[in-house]
Amino acid sequence: RPWLMQMLVWGFLASAEKVVTAVIVILPLHSRLDAVAQLIEAPVHHYPKVELLLVMVFAPVILNGLFFWAIDSLIMRRTAGRMSGAEIL
């Protein structure tokens, strides 16, 4: 059941990434990040439902997809290094 181990590793790393990002990036740069967010959201400021959709659906889906791809690549590279060529195929 390699998929179970991969999901556990991914879940742990995703959670750890959120904590590290909050402590290292969001807390110290809060005011600057707010200013950048206002600039990015300015075109949809008058459309709160569109803004909500972008912030709560599209951005997390894209960012989590990128993070999943990066972690999966690292996990598969490490797993492939342990396997012989016949096991990979």
Side-chain angles (χ1 to χ4, degrees):
R1 305 224 168 179
W3 61 268
L4 178 61
M5 190 60 179
Q6 287 176 344
M7 285 300 292
L8 291 173
V9 168
W10 182 81
F12 173 75
L13 290 175
S15 300
E17 178 266 336
K18 304 291 186 206
V19 171
V20 169
T21 300
V23 171
I24 293 176
V25 177
I26 295 174
L27 292 177
L29 301 174
H30 180 61
S31 60
R32 290 183 183 139
L33 290 173
D34 280 348
V36 171
Q38 286 178 351
L39 286 173
I40 292 171
E41 295 174 358
V44 294
H45 181 69
H46 298 293
Y47 307 99
K49 290 183 180 182
V50 173
E51 183 178 7
L52 185 66
L53 190 66
L54 290 173
V55 171
M56 299 300 289
V57 177
F58 290 128
V61 165
I62 291 169
L63 294 174
N64 283 326
L66 289 172
F67 186 72
F68 178 80
W69 172 73
I71 294 301
D72 187 56
S73 296
L74 291 172
I75 291 170
M76 292 306 292
R77 183 179 306 147
R78 188 179 70 204
T79 304
R82 293 184 193 164
M83 294 181 182
S84 69
E87 291 175 338
I88 294 173
L89 299 173

